[in-house]
Amino acid sequence: MSERVITPRSRGFLFLDSHPSGCARLVEEMWQAAPAPDRAPDGAPDGAPVALVVGSSAGYGLAATIAGLARAGIRGIGVCFEKAPTERRTATAGWYRTAATAELARRHGHDMVFLNGDAFSDGMKDQVADLLRERFGRLDHLVYSVAAPRRTDPDTGAVYASVLKPIGEAYRTKTLAFDGEGTPEVKVVETPPAEGDDIAQTVAVMGGADWERWVDHLADRGLLADGFTTAALSYIGSPLTDGIYRQGTIGAAKSHLEATARTLDERLGKLVGGRAVTSVNGAAVTQSSTAIPGIALYVGLLRGALGEGMVPPIAQLADLWDQLTGARPLEVDEDGRVRLDAWELNSAVQAAVTERWETATTETITRLADLDWFHAEVQRLYGFAVPGVDYTAPTATQVPWPDATA
């Protein structure tokens, strides 16, 4: 088995390698941080709720998977798209996180299968449907958490590409960067507006089309249980980032996702007495969010204002599972959205962050934002800066994908 010392190498917020032991330890931390069930599950493991998490290896989707296992006692399937290790490069961090999640699930007696491939394809949907029918029966819950740069339409073969652009006019915002020595810099960047079919392309990738296709595909196969619930994970965020996020191309996709939820909710109610919602999560450092201009600065300032008051994704998703499984009532706003972001969008919190944002410069940023925390969180996405891991020791990189037959 190949072993080597892995040191962090990055280009901006993108790391070139990931650390298997660090990723595994991070998953263990998240499992331990998940709130324990209020009561032991009733009956045998076969009576546990059957769940599908699409986008199970990173960000909120990873938190949904781990919280579902540790809090709700789910069994079922996780779908993600990760790269295997090679002789020269490590696997992607999501590969190692999935292997660790599968091992923890096995150790705790949960039957959880992980499939690696294109979630947008009908081939993956067929594979999931077949596995559900053969191994699990009908599906109780589906959590959809996919952030991708492109999508191939299974019907037409057209390839759509998502973009991060404002709508209408160019957008200027402060953003946070680190130089090669790790010194923080606050600078202003300008993003040109969407043009041509940028909005339509982004909606085709990041909107609700694929989520609806998953639900329809499984419904057509008769695989949705009575009372089936599904949630697509989303984000609204602060007025400070509106121009590039909620009012930009990604925001158009999120609006489409919410419209899809309303359509699915009505359809599922009639079909199986089910529900469909979007779940609006609070801010976190994720591989997707660090690519958005201004978000890194905003999250660092939010942490500076709130400290330990920030609610981590694992706690947010434990809350969502309680609502999806009926442990407590499903609560939605006037637009049919579960709101897990109240702690972030509280008016007092936003006022404090706005004050910091307005005075943030390269000279003041270290006292306004929690940069040590932010920098560590970025590294942790790839398995670095995780307490208890000896990064000077060689670690095995050739970690196999979890065996679906185990």
Side-chain angles (χ1 to χ4, degrees):
M1 182 175 290
S2 177
E3 291 191 356
R4 62 186 177 92
V5 175
I6 304 168
T7 56
R9 296 179 299 136
S10 65
R11 295 172 184 159
F13 296 134
L14 178 65
F15 281 62
L16 305 180
D17 282 313
S18 55
H19 198 284
S21 299
C23 289
R25 185 63 175 261
L26 179 64
V27 166
E28 181 95 36
E29 280 186 6
M30 292 177 68
W31 190 293
Q32 294 300 322
D38 292 330
R39 58 184 175 82
D42 294 328
D46 285 350
V50 177
L52 167 64
V53 181
V54 183
S56 60
S57 62
Y60 292 112
L62 175 67
T65 305
I66 296 173
L69 289 162
R71 172 73 173 174
I74 64 170
R75 57 194 176 105
I77 304 168
V79 174
C80 53
F81 187 53
E82 299 294 345
K83 292 183 179 179
T86 67
E87 289 301 317
R88 297 183 59 189
R89 297 289 295 273
T90 69
T92 50
W95 179 285
Y96 297 129
R97 289 191 295 256
T98 299
T101 304
E103 173 57 23
L104 275 173
R106 183 198 63 77
R107 196 186 310 164
H108 288 271
H110 301 282
D111 186 5
M112 196 74 187
V113 179
F114 292 92
L115 303 177
N116 190 24
D118 181 7
F120 293 135
S121 71
D122 281 352
M124 177 56 75
K125 293 175 177 65
D126 286 334
Q127 190 176 352
V128 167
D130 290 343
L131 184 56
L132 280 171
R133 185 176 298 281
E134 295 166 6
R135 186 160 173 167
F136 297 104
R138 295 194 296 173
L139 187 67
D140 297 300
H141 311 289
L142 190 163
V143 174
Y144 187 88
S145 179
V146 177
R150 62 188 57 84
R151 168 178 173 250
T152 299
D153 189 307
D155 291 327
T156 66
V159 178
Y160 301 108
S162 62
V163 295
L164 283 164
K165 291 184 178 180
I167 294 174
E169 58 185 19
Y171 177 69
R172 289 173 60 83
T173 186
K174 290 180 177 180
T175 196
L176 176 65
F178 294 89
D179 66 18
E181 302 300 318
T183 303
E185 178 185 7
V186 176
K187 56 185 181 180
V188 175
V189 295
E190 181 172 303
T191 306
E195 56 186 9
D197 63 351
D198 282 347
I199 298 173
Q201 292 248 351
T202 304
V203 169
V205 179
M206 300 291 289
D210 186 61
W211 179 32
E212 185 172 19
R213 196 177 187 96
W214 270 102
V215 174
D216 288 347
H217 199 90
L218 298 173
D220 290 345
R221 298 279 291 267
L223 292 170
L224 303 185
D226 291 342
F228 167 81
T229 62
T230 182
L233 307 188
S234 187
Y235 182 66
I236 290 178
S238 169
L240 292 168
T241 59
D242 254 1
I244 194 65
Y245 198 85
R246 194 65 194 191
Q247 300 302 320
T249 52
I250 294 297
K254 297 301 184 185
S255 294
H256 185 272
L257 193 71
E258 290 166 7
T260 302
R262 292 188 288 271
T263 299
L264 286 175
D265 191 54
E266 182 177 358
R267 189 185 311 164
L268 289 170
K270 295 175 181 177
L271 182 65
V272 291
R275 295 294 309 272
V277 297
T278 52
S279 173
V280 183
N281 303 290
V285 178
T286 68
Q287 286 163 288
S288 299
S289 69
T290 54
I292 304 173
I295 294 291
L297 176 61
Y298 168 74
V299 175
L301 294 171
L302 179 66
R303 172 72 182 195
L306 279 179
E308 295 296 328
M310 283 189 72
V311 181
I314 194 71
Q316 296 178 42
L317 272 297
D319 187 352
L320 178 63
W321 277 113
D322 282 356
Q323 296 188 53
L324 292 179
T325 59
R328 68 181 185 85
L330 186 62
E331 299 176 0
V332 298
D333 66 11
E334 64 276 6
D335 294 311
R337 303 173 299 198
V338 176
R339 301 303 296 267
L340 304 177
D341 60 346
W343 59 271
E344 175 190 352
L345 297 189
N346 173 285
S347 59
V349 171
Q350 284 300 304
V353 178
T354 299
E355 182 179 354
R356 290 168 183 252
W357 177 282
E358 290 172 348
T359 57
T361 64
T362 298
E363 292 70 34
T364 63
I365 189 61
T366 54
R367 65 177 176 81
L368 296 174
D370 189 341
L371 295 185
D372 289 341
W373 171 85
F374 178 81
H375 201 253
E377 286 296 294
V378 172
Q379 294 183 79
R380 284 160 64 86
L381 296 175
Y382 300 88
F384 298 102
V386 180
V389 176
D390 182 359
Y391 291 101
T392 66
T395 186
T397 61
Q398 298 296 320
V399 175
W401 189 260
D403 184 359
T405 64

